[in-house]
Amino acid sequence: MGDTGPTGPVMDRDEVDRALARLGAEHEAVETSLLALQDHAGRRLLEGAELTGVTVERWSAADASITLLWSYFDAYTDALRTAREIRSRRRWSSREDLVELTELLRGEAVTVAGGAAALAQAPTPDGGPGRLSERYSLAALVERMNQLYATSLDMVVAADAVWSALPARIDLLAAELQRTRKLAHSVGVRPGEHPSGDDLERITRTLTRLRERVVSDPLAFWLPAEGSSAPGGGRPDTTVYDREARALEEVRREIDAVLAVRQDAEQRIVRLRDVLSRADRTLAEARTARGEVLAKIAATEVPVVGGPPIVLQEQLAAAAEYRRHAQWHRLSPLLESLEEKAEDELLRARESLTAVTAPLAVRAELRGRLDAYKAKVARLGFAEDPELAEKYEKARRMLWSAPCDLRVAEQAVLRYQHAAAETLGSPRRVPGQGGPVDRTGPGV
């Protein structure tokens, strides 16, 4: 069993040399990390910014941690330099040197004295209040520095990520907002006069407040990554920005629609006049046809034909007035509504004409059917058949007289049709011939 001291077995020369090499490499790595943190753009911004909210609280703790980190590093540097000086006293270290080196390299031989403010604000390993001085082993001191470095870097990286992402995007959106405001004003979209004008004012206020808060309290807009322990794991919270960007896009589409109205308003109004004029003419035709149906068709219910759309004509006049006064923001929704209503009105007029003239269409169909059967009978040589001629003449008088009872006339046509079918389907003697001739007509 080897010699022992207060900290356990005394290290031999090889163990001391290996420990010094490892601690030297750790010293270089810690120094490089601290210098990088010291020069980090996010840390410099945090030092110079007027912080508020959660950021000012976390930066106060992080700044104290960084100050404490340098105190720890200085103590670590002094201890490492002392150990190297002891080892360099002689080529073959004495037992007394090895005992001293063992205590320095493995024991809690490093005393760190920090400023009261720094120690009070920086987090401690046990979560308790800071102390004016602490004792560590070199290994524990490295571990402690790594902890403080990770928490400080996490805060700095998070703040820098928000500052790098959001203010520039907000500025670009604000510039687009200003261009949109000017364009909106040129087409009459103003606050208090058009909903989109009110939306632009609201978006402007929201973006102004958002930028101010992002600059002063960036950590309020940081979403840490779940399950990630790496410094800076997460992403900026762009919820408010994204919402206002979508709102601005909707306003822009509305203004584009207003601009489109300004460009083709005259043509659209002319088309509207034409559609409503066709609807009026169709309704007038329906009213005339209704009078004709009532005079020519008996025992038939004919629907009443409505009058012209006075309200649509008034709205069309209002649209023309808006155009004359360049009130494009009011003209745009009115034209869209009028175009839909005008097409509906034309469809209604056409349906009304169809409904009114339906009895005349039925009479025309019956006339065509009667003449078609007469032509078939004549083609097959039965035009002179007295029974068929009588039935035909009776049906014809009903269909060509006014008023015409369609139900009675239809029965007369059906009787002629059935009689013709029976005649064409039976063997009959051809007039003027002695023998029977089989005349088979097609079925009905």
Side-chain angles (χ1 to χ4, degrees), residues 18 120 160 171 199 202 292 305 366 384 387 408:
R18 287 195 297 270
D160 185 55
D171 290 343
D199 290 340
R202 183 194 59 75
E292 180 182 354
V305 180
L366 290 174
E384 303 301 328
E387 181 183 355
V408 176

Side-chain angles (χ1 to χ4, degrees), residues 75-227:
Y76 182 89
T77 302
D78 291 343
L80 182 60
R81 181 169 53 252
T82 299
R84 285 172 173 170
E85 288 175 353
I86 295 173
R87 178 66 183 89
S88 64
R89 288 175 184 172
R90 52 186 62 86
R91 182 177 180 184
W92 302 100
S93 299
S94 66
R95 184 180 184 284
E96 290 75 14
D97 291 341
L98 292 177
V99 169
E100 186 177 0
L101 284 170
T102 300
E103 173 65 21
L104 185 60
L105 296 177
R106 288 183 175 175
E108 293 184 352
V110 182
T111 301
V112 179
L119 289 173
Q121 296 182 63
T124 59
D126 58 5
R131 297 182 295 273
L132 294 181
S133 64
E134 298 170 293
R135 292 183 64 83
Y136 291 98
S137 67
L138 288 176
L141 189 59
V142 170
E143 182 179 356
R144 177 68 175 137
M145 285 192 291
N146 286 335
Q147 293 172 351
L148 290 176
Y149 174 79
T151 57
S152 301
L153 182 62
D154 179 73
M155 186 271 169
V156 169
V157 170
D160 185 55
V162 174
W163 277 332
S164 298
L166 273 176
R169 295 172 68 179
I170 294 172
D171 290 343
L172 289 175
L173 190 61
E176 176 63 23
L177 175 63
Q178 291 304 317
R179 289 191 292 271
T180 304
R181 284 166 60 93
K182 292 180 181 178
L183 188 61
H185 191 273
S186 70
V187 294
V189 176
R190 300 180 178 89
E193 298 181 8
H194 192 280
S196 292
D198 298 333
D199 290 340
L200 287 174
E201 287 297 303
R202 183 194 59 75
I203 295 171
T204 300
R205 292 192 299 269
T206 302
L207 286 183
T208 301
R209 291 194 300 266
L210 178 63
R211 195 185 193 288
E212 292 174 353
R213 191 178 176 204
V214 165
V215 170
S216 67
D217 191 10
L219 294 186
F221 298 89
W222 180 251
L223 296 176
E226 294 184 5

Side-chain angles (χ1 to χ4, degrees), residues 310-332:
I310 302 299
V311 174
L312 295 186
Q313 292 293 347
E314 293 175 349
Q315 292 179 348
L316 182 59
E321 192 70 14
Y322 289 155
R323 179 182 174 276
R324 279 194 295 273
H325 292 88
Q327 294 178 316
W328 311 112
H329 62 291
R330 295 182 177 177
L331 180 59
S332 176

